[in-house]
Amino acid sequence: MALCRFHFLKTPHPSAVNISRLPRFASSFSRSLSTWRRSSTSRRLCTLRSDQPLQVSSIGDCSSFSIVDGLLDYLNESWTQFHATAEAKRQLIAAGFQLLNECDDWNLQPGGRYFFTRNMSCLIAFAVGEKYSTGNGFHVVAAHTDSPCLKLKPRTSSSKSGYLMVNVQTYGAGLWHTWFDRDLSVAGRVILKSCDGSFIHKLVKVKRPILRVPTLAIHLDRSVNTDGFKPNLESHLVPVLAMKFMEKCIDRSATSCSSKSAHDPLLLKILSEELGCTKNEIVGIELNVCDTQPSCLGGGKNEFIFSGRLDNLASSYCALRSLVDSCQSPSDLADETSIRMVALFDNEEVGSNSLQGAGAPTMFQAMKRIVGCLASDYLGACAFERTIRSSFLVSADMAHGVHPNFLDKYEESHRPELQKGLVIKYNSNQRYATSAVTAFLFKELAEINKIPVQEFVVRNDMGCGSTIGPILASGVGIRTVDCGIPQLSMHSVREICGKDDVDIAYRHFMAFFRAFSSIDKKLSVDF
């Protein structure tokens, strides 16, 4: 059980104080810190916003409220899927949600708000309506915490021609040429061995740039601009850590044999200094290579968000924030007959087939367990099946906004624009889980609440990506709609989306949590 202990590190941004020492406010997350955070122009390029708490008496009240500052803070905190989950955990606890352990018995009550994490990279949070009864459904927004990146190999130590290198492997389908000539660092988790022989799980983030993948000079590759940049991902995508002659400055005698053979002492020294431990205490690492440039607003009118990992942390944050803000006070759940849920999964970018991915039965096991805990009398054999039939899932994953320089890559009648709202995704080959029924219900929410919405299908002569939507929809047969915030540069080290679309997505998810029950009962399909 020692490995289950979690110690979250909050190290200061180079241009900021340690935010872990500042007060947290449950109802507005980090909005109270927005003025302080915007004092650094390297972190934020925008005007000040109101610091008043969100009034949630009706859906329309959200139209002038913005969560963009909170998203930027979340992105800058969440360099890895582990940090994204840990920050979501912190915000949920601050908002009054109760942390559950999958290994313990659960005592759930109507009106209660709960969550649990798995592998510190997957999170399930839910709020139980006061009027919930057995057989009523779950209303779920699901997203994922991972993004394409470079990950350190189990044995990272390497040297070539006087350089200390770090061996990496590609994770997901990234635009790997965008990782060249960037100021990079590492973040993730480590396992430390304590003096008493127990083990501690910690997160780590080295905020200063320590790595670089340099491109070859054009003088040595004259055809790169005509033939294209085609790096070999095994031999050309290896970051430089330092010059090898610097290793004489590192005390190798204090490094354990196993760590010494797997990782260069300089890398272990950097990690140990960040963690406040000795190199010998580090017995396991799982690290991502991360771009150190902060997320920020950009564009002539500050209308864009420039950031890494928008796919899919933008969706994750909108889902998380809408759940919390839709049940800030007990009255928010007083008339709710269903259960509101957010599910954030890991490993979507590589197929979701993992313990912490959407391919695992995590969410459905939790649903079944929740139904059983809340049953006031004998639980019939088909109670869970009835619940699933009444449930609805919004699969939220970033969408392709139309690129002005590549219009021919888009189906001419389905070209989503930035700043025009969420995009509902369709695919007749079931790469997306949207059906006419689920699309109608989701669009009806938008129409009633005057929220813009768009539609997307891929060209017939092009392949189509997929999401966790079909995986979850086919898992137990839950009604699902696939949607996403439109963006450009998807899977680049640096992506772009519209600032207004973040707030529109938030409003749409808020409407889903608050009003879907009343809309759903008006449509009959199978009876």
Side-chain angles (χ1 to χ4, degrees):
M1 293 301 293
L3 289 175
C4 296
R5 295 205 303 270
F6 172 71
H7 299 261
F8 181 42
L9 293 183
K10 283 272 195 180
T11 52
H13 188 276
S15 61
V17 299
N18 190 332
I19 65 175
S20 66
R21 298 183 182 274
L22 296 176
R24 307 292 184 183
F25 296 93
S27 63
S28 60
F29 294 92
S30 56
R31 271 178 283 158
S32 60
L33 303 179
S34 59
T35 302
W36 166 76
R37 278 167 166 157
R38 280 191 298 270
S39 64
S40 172
T41 57
S42 67
R43 294 199 57 195
R44 193 81 81 254
L45 299 173
C46 63
T47 57
L48 297 180
R49 293 186 177 275
S50 171
D51 208 31
Q52 298 300 315
L54 173 63
Q55 301 299 317
V56 293
S57 57
S58 67
I59 301 299
D61 291 343
C62 301
S63 59
S64 61
F65 175 78
S66 178
I67 65 166
V68 169
D69 285 349
L71 172 61
L72 291 172
D73 291 333
Y74 184 70
L75 290 166
N76 284 323
E77 184 64 45
S78 304
W79 280 19
T80 72
Q81 68 275 32
F82 307 117
H83 290 84
T85 304
E87 179 62 11
K89 172 183 176 181
R90 184 194 66 78
Q91 294 190 5
L92 286 166
I93 292 175
F97 280 66
Q98 180 182 339
L99 175 62
L100 302 173
N101 189 322
E102 287 190 280
C103 299
D104 296 338
D105 289 332
W106 292 357
N107 180 21
L108 310 180
Q109 301 295 329
R113 299 173 297 165
Y114 311 92
F115 77 99
F116 67 88
T117 65
R118 178 178 289 187
N119 189 52
M120 196 46 65
S121 62
C122 168
L123 180 146
I124 307 290
F126 57 97
V128 184
E130 290 279 6
K131 295 184 178 180
Y132 169 83
S133 61
T134 303
N136 291 358
F138 287 78
H139 299 157
V140 188
V141 180
H144 63 89
T145 59
D146 62 317
S147 303
C149 65
L150 302 176
K151 289 181 176 287
L152 271 62
K153 292 181 178 179
R155 305 181 70 85
T156 63
S157 181
S158 176
S159 63
K160 300 177 183 178
S161 301
Y163 295 98
L164 295 179
M165 317 289 285
V166 176
N167 291 322
V168 297
Q169 55 186 329
T170 56
Y171 175 85
L175 290 173
W176 302 121
H177 65 275
T178 65
W179 287 75
F180 284 75
D181 296 333
R182 302 289 302 185
D183 296 344
L184 305 175
S185 191
V186 294
R189 64 177 173 188
V190 299
I191 306 299
L192 300 179
K193 185 175 182 179
S194 301
C195 297
D196 61 2
S198 63
F199 300 95
I200 302 174
H201 176 267
K202 283 191 175 183
L203 299 191
V204 64
K205 181 192 300 181
V206 180
K207 293 191 174 182
R208 68 182 180 91
I210 61 172
L211 299 174
R212 186 94 170 185
V213 185
T215 51
L216 185 62
I218 193 172
H219 311 80
L220 305 177
D221 188 10
R222 291 288 186 181
S223 63
V224 65
N225 289 330
T226 55
D227 297 343
F229 181 45
K230 302 174 183 178
N232 181 288
L233 299 185
E234 177 64 24
S235 57
H236 298 158
L237 196 60
V238 185
V240 172
L241 175 64
M243 295 302 298
K244 192 174 182 180
F245 69 83
M246 294 297 294
E247 66 180 347
K248 63 185 180 182
C249 302
I250 309 301
D251 180 12
R252 292 180 173 272
S253 62
T255 306
S256 64
C257 294
S258 59
S259 296
K260 177 180 177 180
S261 59
H263 310 291
D264 191 274
L266 177 58
L267 177 62
L268 295 176
K269 178 176 183 292
I270 293 171
L271 293 175
S272 63
E273 289 175 347
E274 195 71 31
L275 291 164
C277 68
T278 66
K279 290 180 288 184
N280 273 344
E281 292 179 75
I282 300 175
V283 294
I285 66 173
E286 184 175 353
L287 301 177
N288 296 357
V289 176
C290 306
D291 185 25
T292 60
Q293 184 174 355
S295 305
C296 65
L297 295 182
K301 300 180 180 179
N302 279 341
E303 65 266 56
F304 301 125
I305 296 176
F306 297 157
S307 175
R309 306 175 303 283
L310 286 173
D311 179 16
N312 191 33
L313 291 184
S315 302
S316 297
Y317 183 76
C318 289
L320 179 75
R321 185 64 182 269
S322 60
L323 175 65
V324 171
D325 287 353
S326 71
C327 55
Q328 292 185 71
S329 64
S331 61
D332 292 329
L333 296 172
D335 295 321
E336 179 61 78
T337 60
S338 300
I339 298 175
R340 302 170 183 176
M341 176 178 280
V342 162
L344 307 181
F345 297 101
D346 193 3
N347 299 134
E348 188 275 344
E349 298 293 356
V350 292
S352 297
N353 292 320
S354 68
L355 171 72
Q356 55 276 356
T362 310
M363 187 178 80
F364 299 118
Q365 287 176 345
M367 287 179 169
K368 192 170 185 178
R369 190 170 183 178
I370 293 166
V371 170
C373 288
L374 294 172
S376 58
D377 49 18
Y378 173 73
L379 187 63
C382 297
F384 178 64
E385 286 73 14
R386 288 164 43 215
T387 295
I388 292 297
R389 296 291 80 73
S390 302
S391 298
F392 194 96
L393 172 74
V394 177
S395 169
D397 203 348
M398 301 296 280
H400 297 294
V402 63
H403 195 303
N405 298 332
F406 297 90
L407 293 177
D408 59 325
K409 297 295 184 180
Y410 301 81
E411 203 280 326
E412 61 182 0
S413 298
H414 300 83
R415 292 175 173 172
E417 299 179 33
L418 272 61
Q419 310 285 52
K420 295 292 182 69
L422 278 174
V423 179
I424 298 177
K425 307 176 187 179
Y426 301 80
N427 185 261
S428 60
N429 296 307
Q430 296 302 299
R431 299 293 289 171
Y432 303 129
T434 307
S435 70
V437 172
T438 60
F440 165 76
L441 291 170
F442 200 61
K443 287 189 290 186
E444 185 70 5
L445 277 171
E447 183 174 346
I448 291 173
N449 293 284
K450 297 180 174 57
I451 300 172
V453 68
Q454 307 180 80
E455 296 175 312
F456 172 80
V457 295
V458 73
R459 288 171 56 102
N460 290 328
D461 56 358
M462 296 182 65
C464 182
S466 191
T467 68
I468 60 176
I471 296 172
L472 295 172
S474 62
V476 291
I478 187 172
R479 294 176 298 166
T480 303
V481 63
D482 265 299
C483 69
I485 297 170
Q487 70 165 106
L488 300 176
S489 304
M490 186 178 289
H491 288 196
S492 170
V493 73
R494 198 75 175 166
E495 300 172 321
I496 175 175
C497 74
K499 179 177 68 174
D500 291 347
D501 287 325
V502 172
D503 290 325
I504 294 171
Y506 167 77
R507 290 170 52 206
H508 208 144
F509 295 161
M510 286 283 284
F512 172 67
F513 282 132
R514 291 183 183 157
F516 185 78
S517 294
S518 61
I519 293 175
D520 191 29
K521 66 178 62 174
K522 297 179 181 179
L523 177 64
S524 299
V525 176
D526 294 312
F527 53 89

